[in-house]
Structure formats: structure tokens, C-alpha cells
Amino acid sequence: MDRVVRLWDVAARKEVRQLIGQQGSLWSVAFSPDGRTLAGVTAEGTYIFSANGPDRTIRLWDVNTGKELRRLEGPTLGSWCVVWSPDGRTLATGGDDGLVRLWELATGRERGQLAGHEGPVTCLKFTHDGRRLISGSSDTTVLVWDLTRPLPRPARRDDK
């Protein structure tokens, strides 16, 4: 709730680093497959009444230095969850609008959207080979997406 990610040395039982910059409550964080980068997302609060702050960006931090590496312009309603693909080249986010978004990290651009849920997307998981993505929603559905097929093109920002 205080907009800070704290990294802890569990063995020493002490905080070793803070990742700052997010201007809203962080609802989900995920480590990259190599453990060097952390992604964090914030939701608007339509269904999360304790959310605070207007920031809807997806932030990436260097775990060793705490420096912000990249900021992606997330959806208007924000994101509830984030997960890395096994190869570390793609992020998937899900949020209030019921869409799963795929982000290409090399360019920082949204690569596509997966529509099918009727409620907020609350959890995501790639299969170990990265060929499928599983999404869960508050609408009580779980969907399995085949990522080997072409993705629908994302809507332009001014089309929303």
C-alpha cells in the first residue's frame, strides 16, 4: 500500500533494498526467469477499494541496484497481475478490463490482447515451454491461450 517493493535477505532477516517509483499501490510483482529484474503493476481500484494513486505503468527494476530500467504505458484501468514468459522476452498482464495483454520487452510495446474473460483477470501463468498462457478471472473462469497462433493486434490508444 505504501508504493514500495521491499527485497529481503531471508536468512539474515533484514531488508536489503527498496524499489521505488510506482505512484500507486502495487498489486503484483514478478521476478524475471534469471532473477535479475522485477516487474510491478498497479490497478485502478474499481474492484480493489484500497488502491491508491493514478499510476498505471508497468515498471521494471534491476534487482541488484534498485534502479528503474523501463516503464511501459499500461492500460487505463491498470493491471492486477503480471508474469514473465519462460524465455524472459515477454510480459503478460491482466486487469480490471478483463483483457490479457502481452508486452514485447525488446521494444516495450504491447504485442497483443487476449479477450475472453467477463471480469478482472486476477492471475496468469505461462506453461514451462511458453507456448500457452493460463489466465484466471473473478468471473470464475480459467482460460488457456495458445500462443503459437497469431495474436490479435492491440487497439490503438485513441481507439479506446
Side-chain angles (χ1 to χ4, degrees):
M1 296 304 295
D2 65 359
R3 306 172 183 191
V4 176
V5 176
R6 290 175 172 75
L7 300 178
W8 289 78
D9 179 331
V10 178
R13 296 182 180 207
K14 68 177 187 173
E15 182 179 308
V16 294
R17 188 160 292 101
Q18 292 187 356
L19 309 178
I20 58 171
Q22 200 77 9
Q23 298 301 306
S25 301
L26 285 133
W27 289 106
S28 181
V29 295
F31 283 98
S32 61
D34 65 9
R36 295 181 188 170
T37 307
L38 189 78
V41 296
T42 301
E44 178 182 54
T46 303
Y47 300 97
I48 306 173
F49 301 108
S50 58
N52 62 47
D55 192 353
R56 304 297 166 251
T57 58
I58 300 154
R59 279 191 168 73
L60 303 176
W61 291 278
D62 182 299
V63 171
N64 292 321
T65 66
K67 288 180 101 174
E68 184 178 304
L69 298 173
R70 178 169 250 173
R71 196 179 299 181
L72 308 176
E73 187 178 339
T76 305
L77 297 177
S79 304
W80 280 37
C81 52
V82 61
V83 67
W84 292 79
S85 65
D87 65 9
R89 297 187 323 203
T90 303
L91 274 181
T93 60
D96 270 356
D97 59 9
L99 296 174
V100 174
R101 288 179 167 79
L102 296 169
W103 304 87
E104 184 178 284
L105 292 175
T107 63
R109 294 186 183 199
E110 187 177 318
R111 197 165 58 101
Q113 298 177 355
L114 304 171
H117 288 292
E118 294 180 11
V121 177
T122 57
C123 57
L124 295 165
K125 175 73 174 152
F126 279 95
T127 56
H128 71 282
D129 59 8
R131 295 169 58 102
R132 288 185 176 73
L133 178 66
I134 303 159
S135 59
S137 170
S138 65
D139 68 8
T140 71
T141 63
V142 173
L143 300 176
V144 179
W145 305 95
D146 182 353
L147 300 181
T148 62
R149 296 175 165 212
L151 295 172
R153 301 199 78 201
R156 292 191 336 246
R157 292 239 173 245
D158 55 356
D159 287 346
K160 293 181 182 177

